Amino acid sequence: MMDDVHDLAALYVLDALPQDERRTFEGHLEECKDCRREVKEMQETAASLGALERATPSPATREQVLAAIARTPQEGEPPREPFALRRRRRAVAWLSAAAVAAVATVVIAVGLVNIGDRTDRADAIRDVLSARDVALTVLEGPEGVTASFVYSAEQGRGVFTTEGLAPVAASETYQLWLIGEAGPSPSGLFRPADGSVTFLVTGDIAGSTQLGVTLEPREGSPRPSGAILLMGDLA
Amino acid sequence: MFSHGGPSAGGPHSNRGRGKKLMYTAEPLLGASLCFVPALVRPGPCAIASSHSAGGGFLLEELVVLSGQGDQAAFANLYDIVAGRIHGVVLRVLRDPAQAEEVTQEIFVELWRRARRFDPARGSALAWLMTIAHRRAVDRVRSEQTFRNHRSRIELVGQPPPFDQVSEAVEEQWEQRRVREALQSLTDVQRQAVELAYFGGYTYREVAELLETPLGTVKTRIRSGLLRMRAELETMG
């Protein structure tokens, strides 16, 4: 009986293949894109089986793990162009685009909705998170500030979260920018009361390559005038 | 650039803790979605893994990538989030608690070693973690016994997992319920085959022996069972 090697993905993923068959299948995987894709999908399913069991390891295990990693070297190279996670620093070339011929001068907080209403917030966030093309970018910024943007280019929406930004004076605001070929577009203002902010941003995300945050006068600006505080790449 | 150091310092951002409480009251169906920013700093009630491959699992991606850059605090955070799940599987496969602790340790050290190679394009961080963990557990259990006492293992594997292990966190319960429901959509023989393979750590040949069923049948059941689970989980969202 000739077994079809392509049917082995499920067995492989559950580690139900004996050693020799596993090796053979791994050899096959190197040459078969379809099987690689099936394995990738099945691995997600198999991983969820793990949800059925929970057992807390002893505190000693935790200690030993953390002690061990402190003296364990890491191997390999990170993948090039990791999908949806980019932490490379980029030259801030877009500021020079700001000096180019003027566009609209009215500052509009485009689609910036402070997620205060719980129903809207839950639905909007859930929509973004369940988008097929959902991606995450972590913005780089000063010490003590964390900021991330989870977005869907298809939906043209994303959830921007930040924590640790210092509160602003009454005469100032933070401003968010979606940066594309035409340079930075105003994408909303926010003034965090306690340093942590979560809000929904809508705009032309698909056409943008970066997301940035600057400090601006209270009413916002048509073009960034303040220091760039946070910057992240968009896929 | 980000401060990921262990316990949060006081100083200019000492209001962070308060901010976290205000912002992240539990939204049951959103899982970890809103909680990833404070979780980057230290583990807290929001630091819960989600098995969603799109969207819900991004917290783990971030922590794995950071770990790959040598960030031990991020790795500690990662440990706190997934250790329960990994150890749960390890314990069920190995049975012996002392060995299970050893294997869990080894798994995490391996995850640390390999974190730099993690490629988010190749799949979710959760899949990456669980694949490594499960493989290691199975390799250990197979190396320990060339032929195990099958009968007692079948009885144990057939039982539902003990509820004393279940976390009280709403999100975790929801995820468990979701996976259990998906598992329920399989036929009895499919479910049995999948469980024996995954939680019993058996090869399909051993499963066939245990169940006294032809090899081809077992392979088909495992495959169609897993495919069915995947379809159910995708439908549920």
Side-chain angles (χ1 to χ4, degrees), chain A residues 23-167:
Chain A
R23 279 203 210 100
T24 308
F25 185 71
E26 282 173 344
H28 169 74
L29 274 184
E30 284 173 20
E31 298 157 6
C32 180
K33 198 159 87 168
D34 286 340
C35 282
R36 280 200 301 273
R37 189 181 18 185
E38 189 167 8
V39 163
K40 170 182 167 176
E41 290 174 8
M42 297 279 215
Q43 278 173 342
E44 303 291 339
T45 312
S48 68
L49 279 171
L52 297 174
E53 297 292 329
R54 289 275 196 278
T56 310
S58 70
T61 292
R62 185 181 192 274
E63 270 173 43
Q64 277 157 19
V65 165
L66 296 183
I69 66 164
R71 54 173 195 266
T72 304
Q74 295 178 299
E75 50 190 57
E77 287 306 314
R80 280 184 314 163
E81 299 293 341
F83 174 76
L85 276 180
R86 301 198 195 165
R87 296 173 65 82
R88 279 175 324 190
R89 205 176 277 286
R90 280 239 187 129
V92 188
W94 55 265
L95 265 192
S96 60
V100 178
V103 284
T105 57
V106 179
V107 173
I108 302 168
V110 176
L112 180 66
V113 175
N114 196 337
I115 306 182
D117 178 77
R118 293 169 86 81
T119 322
D120 286 353
R121 159 166 81 159
D123 287 346
I125 294 176
R126 188 182 295 134
D127 283 351
V128 171
L129 292 177
S130 56
R132 268 176 327 161
D133 67 331
V134 62
L136 162 75
T137 189
V138 175
L139 287 83
E140 298 201 326
E143 277 273 321
V145 181
T146 55
S148 305
F149 187 56
V150 180
Y151 61 97
S152 160
E154 269 182 31
Q155 290 182 13
R157 283 194 297 192
V159 182
F160 174 74
T161 309
T162 184
E163 190 171 87
L165 276 180

Side-chain angles (χ1 to χ4, degrees), chain A residues 1 3 6-19 21-22 26 38 40-66 68-83 85 87 89 115 118 121-122 125-126 128-132 134 136 138-150 159 161-167 193-198 230, chain B residues 1-4 13 15-16 18-20 22-27 29-30 33-34 36-38 40-41 51 53-56 58 61-62 65-70 72 75-76 79-80 83-85 87-89 91-92 101 104-105 108-109 112-124 126-127 130-131 134-135 138-139 142 161-162 165-167 172 175-176 179-180 183 194 197-199 202-205 216 219 222-223 226-227 229-230 233:
Chain A
M1 182 179 67
D3 285 326
H6 299 284
D7 286 335
L8 296 181
L11 298 178
Y12 174 73
V13 155
L14 297 182
D15 295 311
L17 288 177
Q19 188 73 315
E21 292 185 48
R22 179 200 279 176
E26 282 173 344
E38 189 167 8
K40 170 182 167 176
E41 290 174 8
M42 297 279 215
Q43 278 173 342
E44 303 291 339
T45 312
S48 68
L49 279 171
L52 297 174
E53 297 292 329
R54 289 275 196 278
T56 310
S58 70
T61 292
R62 185 181 192 274
E63 270 173 43
Q64 277 157 19
V65 165
L66 296 183
I69 66 164
R71 54 173 195 266
T72 304
Q74 295 178 299
E75 50 190 57
E77 287 306 314
R80 280 184 314 163
E81 299 293 341
F83 174 76
L85 276 180
R87 296 173 65 82
R89 205 176 277 286
I115 306 182
R118 293 169 86 81
R121 159 166 81 159
I125 294 176
R126 188 182 295 134
V128 171
L129 292 177
S130 56
R132 268 176 327 161
V134 62
L136 162 75
V138 175
L139 287 83
E140 298 201 326
E143 277 273 321
V145 181
T146 55
S148 305
F149 187 56
V150 180
V159 182
T161 309
T162 184
E163 190 171 87
L165 276 180
D194 59 357
S196 51
V197 173
T198 302
L230 297 164
Chain B
M1 254 303 182
F2 297 104
S3 64
H4 288 289
H13 304 295
N15 60 358
R16 190 179 301 158
R18 204 169 61 238
K20 173 184 161 186
L22 283 173
M23 194 59 60
Y24 301 108
T25 47
E27 295 275 6
L29 294 185
L30 294 175
S33 52
L34 295 181
F36 58 95
V37 172
L40 285 176
V41 177
S51 67
S53 53
F58 55 78
E61 275 75 17
E62 168 67 6
V65 169
L66 287 170
S67 298
Q69 294 167 2
Q72 293 179 32
F75 190 77
Y79 178 96
D80 291 325
R85 178 187 300 241
H87 193 64
V89 170
L91 191 55
R92 192 145 167 211
E101 297 274 348
T104 295
Q105 255 185 64
F108 275 98
V109 174
W112 167 260
R113 271 202 347 261
R114 294 168 60 171
R116 210 178 327 163
R117 290 216 188 100
F118 169 65
D119 183 354
R122 291 250 197 100
S124 72
L126 187 66
M130 295 305 295
T131 299
H134 188 264
R135 167 78 64 95
V138 165
D139 284 350
R142 287 187 197 158
Q165 306 286 15
V166 172
S167 159
E172 288 184 2
E175 188 193 1
Q176 283 203 353
V179 177
R180 257 189 251 285
L183 212 44
V194 167
Y198 192 77
F199 290 111
Y202 294 111
T203 66
Y204 74 91
R205 292 175 181 269
K219 284 165 107 173
I222 291 175
R223 177 161 192 264
L226 200 61
L227 282 172
M229 261 206 82
R230 182 171 103 204
L233 289 172

